[in-house]
Amino acid sequence: MNSTEERQSEQALHGQEVTVVISGCDTGDARMVFDALRAAFTTDRASVDVPRKLAERRPTAWVAAVDVSEERVVSGPVLLGAPVSVDVLGGYWAVERLRRSLAHAFDVRVVGTVSGDQEEEVRLRLRSRSADHGPTTEQ
């Protein structure tokens, strides 16, 4: 089997949709992450679906489903007010594709993983990256 067939087979086996949960940040930073995701992939969050806090005393989490089957180029670094925690759940191939894409806009650090039989959950820590440095990711 050639490498293209192997990739297509792996994609079909592990799915192409990833669930993304953003928490522990302000609404502006959550929106910046969703905007970067929407620029790179198709998501179920429309651009007018702006993250809002619903309760002042309770933690807020925002969720999106992201289809990573067709990737577009993210134009460059995105400025965040503070680091953002992002939990990503999906097939191994899909989670890795999303992580690599986010590295075009942010410094991405993997801070935790839970592996399953056919999918994994990964906690990422996103920070602003400077415009003069290329994509970076840390494990």
Side-chain angles (χ1 to χ4, degrees):
M1 196 182 291
N2 70 33
S3 62
T4 302
E5 289 174 295
E6 288 172 356
R7 262 187 265 125
Q8 289 172 342
S9 174
E10 185 176 338
Q11 291 170 18
L13 285 173
H14 300 294
Q16 299 177 351
E17 187 170 281
V18 176
T19 300
V20 176
V21 180
I22 300 172
S23 61
C25 65
D26 70 23
T27 57
D29 286 340
R31 181 177 185 157
M32 297 302 263
V33 175
F34 282 130
D35 286 349
L37 286 170
R38 203 172 17 264
F41 303 106
T42 301
T43 77
D44 66 346
R45 291 188 72 100
S47 60
V48 296
D49 187 5
V50 179
R52 290 175 282 179
K53 272 201 184 254
L54 300 177
E56 288 301 317
R57 295 183 183 187
R58 294 184 182 172
T60 302
W62 300 280
V63 180
V66 179
D67 178 350
V68 300
S69 60
E70 292 185 38
E71 184 177 15
R72 298 179 291 267
V73 176
V74 177
S75 62
V78 175
L79 184 61
L80 295 172
V84 174
S85 292
V86 178
D87 292 316
V88 181
L89 175 66
Y92 288 90
W93 172 86
V95 167
E96 178 61 20
R97 187 170 198 178
L98 185 127
R99 184 178 71 85
R100 281 194 327 259
S101 183
L102 284 174
H104 291 282
F106 308 100
D107 279 327
V108 178
R109 193 171 124 225
V110 175
V111 294
T113 61
V114 177
S115 299
D117 183 32
Q118 295 188 17
E119 63 182 21
E120 70 179 333
E121 183 173 353
V122 177
R123 171 152 295 171
L124 303 173
R125 193 75 168 154
L126 307 181
R127 293 192 156 114
S128 299
R129 73 173 177 84
S130 62
D132 56 335
H133 293 99
T136 61
T137 60
E138 292 180 31
Q139 291 272 338

